[in-house]
Amino acid sequence: MNMKNTILFILIVAIVAFSSFVAINGVEIGKYKIGKAKESIDLGLDLAGGVYVILEAQTDAKGEELQKLMEQTKAIINERVNGLGVSEPNISIEGEKRIRVELAGIDDPQEAIDIIGKTAQLQFIDSNKNVVVTGKNVRSSEVKFQQSNTGKENPVVALEFDKEGTENFAAATKRVAEKTNIEEKIIYIVLDNQVISSPVVQDVITDGKAVISGSFDIDSASKLATLIRAGALPVEMKELQTSVIGPTLGLEAFDRSVKAGGIAILLIFIFMIIMYKLPGFISCIALTIYTLIVIFSMELLGVKLTLPGIAGLILSIGMAVDANVLIFERIKEELRIGKTVRTSIDYGFKRALTSVLDSNITTLIAGVVLYYFGTGPIKGFGVTLILGIVASMITAVFITKYLLKLMVSITGGKNTKLYGA
């Protein structure tokens, strides 16, 4: 029986050691490759670098009307950001009139800022300054290539109107096509009160399709197509704050935080072993399992790791250690009054369980509140704190107890000094 439990214990330690090695160094077996946890976890804005912008709505609307405007604006900004190809942007409404946009790992922060903040009021206006169609009538907007007189293919923005826009545009082109004066045959394409194209109408366009041509390159044409496709912001947004974070600064902070976390865990391991002997050693294994659970959970769930998130992770490690300290002190008290090791472990866990649950649940509630009401870094802190607390309760209450009982069956549990007595 002891041999069987010894083999089981060694197997558990080996699996934990191998998992730790994979998390730190990664592994490649044939076609299968598992990357380093450090490289696999998505990094937040403060670590990966990027930009965040805070915009404020310039409107007197209140109540439900304001809420509706802000939700529409958020949806349109989200559509524009997706057009940039940014993965997992963080876009949230702060207070009543502000929107916070966080874009991690983007190559051109200024371009992102320009696209996010533009009102994108698109209008087609005839020579008499009559609005023919607007951006709301545009069904689709995409980049295509059109051959010029010289044979060169230039990028253009191809538009397709809805039913109302098709009818209005057909009537307008029919009206101006009959004019003899060139200036009267122009339908101006205006974006945010700036003329971006001045095509001359030669024929009546009845199929609801139009082309915006000009001195575009592929990037500027794609940018315009994205703006038009996303639509106009329903309210003017004023840029209150913008911050660009370089990836070098963020990665340096990340490396230092990881190093600090590693040193903290190592010191905790040494302290636990000195103070509690075998139970302390067991707690080191349990804490390693806890760390692996949190890291792989973050990777699986796609949680973005931020600097405050690392702080939340280290704090939850402290909570896990606190739970072990409470339990081990209870076990030592039972041993001192003459109970056996097995009985002391059972009573120690039973008596400490209430305190462990109370402290973890109250912290868990705080984490949920931070995640629900917080924004940006605060939300990141809340996420890792929640994951850490859940993992710490699992490891402290179940895994530590199981490993301790396994150790007792291996050692016989007769030498109480090995268990901190």
Side-chain angles (χ1 to χ4, degrees):
M1 184 66 180
N2 285 350
M3 180 59 67
K4 181 180 177 181
N5 288 337
T6 301
I7 293 172
L8 179 59
F9 184 81
I10 292 173
L11 182 61
I12 291 172
V13 173
I15 292 172
V16 172
F18 177 74
S19 300
S20 301
F21 175 83
V22 171
I24 295 170
N25 301 295
V27 69
E28 186 173 355
I29 304 174
K31 296 181 179 179
Y32 300 97
K33 181 179 179 180
I34 302 176
K36 300 178 183 179
K38 181 180 176 181
E39 298 173 355
S40 301
I41 295 177
D42 292 330
L43 301 182
L45 178 66
D46 52 357
L47 296 176
V51 62
Y52 80 82
V53 185
I54 297 178
L55 305 169
E56 184 176 63
Q58 304 300 296
T59 177
D60 295 326
K62 296 181 180 179
E64 291 185 5
E65 181 185 359
L66 176 59
Q67 185 179 358
K68 185 178 179 181
L69 284 174
M70 296 304 292
E71 290 294 343
Q72 289 176 343
T73 303
K74 177 184 173 183
I76 291 171
I77 290 176
N78 187 63
E79 182 71 22
R80 293 181 181 182
V81 169
N82 288 335
L84 290 172
V86 179
S87 61
E88 299 183 32
N90 180 30
I91 303 171
S92 58
I93 298 174
E94 292 187 351
E96 293 184 341
K97 292 186 176 183
R98 294 183 180 181
I99 291 181
R100 181 188 185 97
V101 184
E102 295 183 352
L103 310 174
I106 64 174
D107 296 327
D108 191 344
Q110 190 55 50
E111 179 189 1
I113 293 169
D114 291 342
I115 288 182
I116 290 166
K118 272 189 177 292
T119 53
Q121 298 288 347
L122 180 71
Q123 295 176 319
F124 287 69
I125 301 174
D126 63 21
S127 59
N128 295 320
K129 298 185 179 180
N130 297 317
V131 177
V132 177
V133 290
T134 66
K136 72 176 183 179
N137 299 121
V138 177
R139 178 181 293 169
S140 66
S141 170
E142 59 184 343
V143 177
K144 291 187 177 181
F145 289 89
Q146 189 177 71
Q147 195 171 42
S148 66
N149 295 331
T150 60
K152 182 181 178 182
E153 288 197 342
N154 297 317
V156 296
V157 179
L159 307 178
E160 184 175 348
F161 299 116
D162 60 13
K163 184 179 179 181
E164 179 188 356
T166 300
E167 293 174 355
N168 292 342
F169 199 65
T173 54
K174 181 180 180 181
R175 186 171 61 249
V176 301
E178 296 173 350
K179 304 291 185 180
T180 56
N181 189 328
I182 292 295
E183 291 186 359
E184 293 180 338
K185 295 170 73 73
I186 296 174
I187 290 184
Y188 299 94
I189 303 174
V190 181
L191 181 69
D192 288 344
N193 298 318
Q194 291 184 349
V195 177
I196 60 172
S197 186
S198 307
V200 177
V201 177
Q202 303 291 348
D203 300 305
V204 179
I205 300 175
T206 59
D207 60 358
K209 295 180 180 179
V211 171
I212 303 176
S213 59
S215 56
F216 292 129
D217 56 24
I218 187 64
D219 289 333
S220 59
S222 299
K223 179 179 175 180
L224 178 58
T226 297
L227 282 170
I228 296 171
R229 185 168 56 248
L233 297 180
V235 63
E236 182 184 352
M237 301 296 292
K238 180 181 178 182
E239 186 181 312
L240 288 187
Q241 184 179 357
T242 303
S243 180
V244 178
I245 300 172
T248 303
L249 178 63
L251 291 175
E252 183 181 348
F254 180 47
D255 290 337
R256 289 185 177 181
S257 299
V258 171
K259 185 177 180 180
I263 293 172
I265 292 174
L266 181 61
L267 292 175
I268 290 171
F269 284 179
I270 294 171
F271 172 81
M272 294 299 289
I273 292 173
I274 291 174
M275 289 296 296
Y276 300 106
K277 309 299 188 296
L278 278 180
F281 173 68
I282 295 298
S283 73
C284 294
I285 298 173
L287 282 172
T288 304
I289 295 172
Y290 152 84
T291 306
L292 292 171
I293 290 174
V294 173
I295 289 173
F296 288 121
S297 295
M298 290 181 68
E299 186 176 342
L300 184 65
L301 297 174
V303 176
K304 283 188 177 293
L305 184 63
T306 62
L307 280 175
I310 294 174
L313 181 59
I314 295 174
L315 176 61
S316 60
I317 291 175
M319 294 292 293
V321 173
D322 180 61
N324 282 327
V325 169
L326 285 172
I327 292 167
F328 295 162
E329 286 297 329
R330 291 292 188 183
I331 291 173
K332 286 170 69 174
E333 289 176 6
E334 299 298 326
L335 288 171
R336 285 168 185 160
I337 61 176
K339 292 181 180 179
T340 64
V341 173
R342 291 178 185 273
T343 305
S344 296
I345 290 172
D346 287 332
Y347 274 90
F349 273 89
K350 185 177 180 180
R351 292 179 62 188
L353 184 61
T354 302
S355 299
V356 171
L357 289 177
D358 285 348
S359 61
N360 280 276
I361 288 174
T362 51
T363 308
L364 184 63
I365 292 171
V368 171
V369 172
L370 288 173
Y371 174 75
Y372 187 78
F373 292 102
T375 58
I378 297 175
K379 188 182 286 286
F381 178 84
V383 169
T384 52
L385 186 60
I386 291 169
L387 282 175
I389 292 299
V390 172
S392 72
M393 284 195 286
I394 293 171
T395 53
V397 176
F398 299 105
I399 294 177
T400 302
K401 185 176 182 179
Y402 176 76
L403 291 176
L404 263 178
K405 287 192 170 184
L406 203 60
M407 182 60 72
V408 171
S409 67
I410 294 171
T411 62
K414 293 182 180 180
N415 188 351
T416 57
K417 290 185 178 180
L418 290 176
Y419 294 86

